[in-house]
Amino acid sequence: MCWSLKELIAPEPVQKQPVVAWGSAGSGGEEGAKIPDLSGEGWSSSQKNPLDVDEKLGTPQGLWTGGEMANPVPSACCVVLAAVVVVYAQRHSQQDSHIQYERVGADVTMKCGSMDWDAAVTWTANGTDIDESHLNGSYLILKKVDLTQSGQYSCYEGSSWHLKYQTYLRVGTPPKEPLLMCRSNNYPKGFYCSWHLPTPTYIPNSFNISVIHGTKEMVCEKDVFPKNRCHIRYLQLFSTVKYKVTLTVTNALGKNSTTLTFDEFAIVKPDPPESVVAKPVPNNPRRLEVSWQNPSSWPDPESFPLKFFLRYRPLILDQWQHVELSDGTSHTITDAYAGKEYIIQVAAKDNDIGTWSDWSVAVHATPWTEEPKHLTTEAQVTETTSASTSSFMPPPTTKICDKGAVVGSGAVAVCWTAGLVLAAYGVLFI
């Protein structure tokens, strides 16, 4: 069996979906203005493939697979017709499919291909019918479009649903002046420039950068990642001629540009020092030992030495203390508060040119503190034992004038005085 070209090309009836409306004309994005996802999901052909695959053998039905011999004439006919369908679909798509860029807030008018103004048509957005209130004859009118109205728009002829026109609407903005920065973190090898837009445009942008040194144009080799950066190699060191870098950004709605002019030395800025370590100094409660390494991107620290800037503070205070070091990659802090945790960072700079790097990753450290000692001397053990034993003994009972209990002349005097008092007391009662 073979299908006719008419049967293969004619699409099946399209099932209509709920009508999409953006509110009254000119509302420009009120509630209910959203349309389906911009990726175009939901757009798929409902037409069957004439070359159905045999489930058992994995080959198109009607083709000879080594078993029974199929009729070669209908099979060849089907293959030819299928090829015609593919070519027709490709040409049809190329002729009627477009991308249309519009600014946010603009009024947009779409024509239904070559259809007359008074022709009966149906418009869809991402496969959903558009309310007729947005039509002026066969033209589609969108008032004050916003980002939610980006998507695939299609126009069909009358009730036959023959596709007459299709476009992808992309709503966005022209680019603002780009932000450009150039820096040398590997002096004297070269420098790099990076850029970005201050606000998104929501449509594709292209960037073009030119670098001129005096009268010579230099090549800026673009990085694979990140894409918004390129590198320039120095052709001449210690040059007094200025560099001029111009960046131009362009999209379908407009373009903008910016220019930097600078000396070779002005853009030298190393990366922050690496592997910063801080640790306490044993038996020194006010000292911290800090060490670090040169940034790995700095190619020749022997010929182009770096100096360093150290800052530190206890966590309980907001004020930093600073130390500038002309050489070496270590320093001992001698004025730390005992027992207080510190935060420490280091920056780097070429000895003669450029600016300071950003601060390194912060590290934390606490000065050495003596561990508390527990009292376990022999005298304290004896005192503790004696005190605990005496608590179980009855108090002494000493008689008056007991010679064994009284010691010294003071005690004898007390004893005789007490005797005389008792004698006098007895005489009074006689």
Side-chain angles (χ1 to χ4, degrees), residues 26-300:
S27 61
E30 296 180 357
E31 184 176 358
K34 293 185 178 180
I35 61 175
D37 185 75
L38 306 185
S39 61
E41 291 181 1
W43 283 86
S44 61
S45 174
S46 60
Q47 191 169 324
K48 295 182 179 179
N49 189 345
L51 297 181
D52 294 329
V53 177
D54 187 282
E55 295 180 355
K56 295 182 179 180
L57 301 176
T59 57
Q61 295 178 3
L63 298 183
W64 182 59
T65 59
E68 296 182 0
M69 182 65 182
N71 190 341
V73 175
S75 300
C77 174
C78 293
V79 172
V80 172
L81 288 178
V84 171
V85 170
V86 172
V87 172
Y88 173 83
Q90 291 176 344
R91 290 181 178 177
H92 186 73
S93 175
Q94 291 171 357
Q95 291 175 356
D96 295 331
S97 182
H98 308 274
I99 298 179
Q100 183 173 345
Y101 294 94
E102 297 291 347
R103 294 192 183 197
V104 173
D107 295 339
V108 179
T109 299
M110 298 184 189
K111 294 180 61 177
C112 187
S114 59
M115 297 290 290
D116 294 334
W117 177 85
D118 57 352
V121 299
T122 300
W123 281 90
T124 66
N126 289 341
T128 303
D129 287 3
I130 298 177
D131 189 86
E132 292 184 357
S133 62
H134 295 282
L135 300 184
N136 179 9
S138 63
Y139 294 1
L140 174 63
I141 309 296
L142 302 177
K143 295 287 188 179
K144 297 181 179 179
V145 293
D146 57 32
L147 297 175
T148 65
Q149 291 174 276
S150 293
Q152 190 86 35
Y153 289 78
S154 304
C155 180
Y156 298 88
E157 180 182 6
S159 59
S160 65
W161 282 84
H162 287 297
L163 179 64
K164 304 301 292 184
Y165 178 77
Q166 193 171 74
T167 186
Y168 194 94
L169 176 64
R170 300 201 63 172
V171 181
T173 61
K176 293 184 178 181
E177 182 178 347
L179 302 177
L180 176 64
M181 185 272 294
C182 295
R183 172 188 166 203
S184 176
N185 65 337
N186 61 347
Y187 190 82
K189 284 188 174 182
F191 64 93
Y192 70 86
C193 295
S194 61
W195 57 87
H196 66 275
L197 292 176
T199 58
T201 63
Y202 307 102
I203 59 176
N205 304 294
S206 62
F207 296 87
N208 180 63
I209 189 167
S210 67
V211 181
I212 298 176
H213 184 225
T215 58
K216 182 177 179 59
E217 186 169 359
M218 305 180 67
V219 176
C220 194
E221 301 175 0
K222 289 189 176 181
D223 293 357
V224 176
F225 181 83
K227 293 183 178 181
N228 62 330
R229 189 170 71 179
C230 65
H231 280 84
I232 301 96
R233 294 186 177 276
Y234 285 125
L235 299 180
Q236 179 183 356
L237 284 181
F238 312 117
S239 172
T240 58
V241 178
K242 293 183 179 295
Y243 288 84
K244 182 180 179 181
V245 180
T246 302
L247 176 70
T248 303
V249 55
T250 306
N251 66 22
L253 301 177
K255 72 175 183 178
N256 216 320
S257 63
T258 188
T259 299
L260 286 181
T261 302
F262 52 85
D263 292 316
E264 171 186 322
F265 308 126
I267 61 170
V268 175
K269 180 182 177 180
D271 289 330
E274 302 173 357
S275 304
V276 180
V277 177
K279 56 185 179 180
V281 179
N283 301 317
N284 287 276
R286 301 203 62 189
R287 296 194 174 198
L288 289 171
E289 186 177 324
V290 186
S291 62
W292 58 90
Q293 294 181 5
N294 288 314
S296 57
S297 56
W298 196 251
D300 192 359

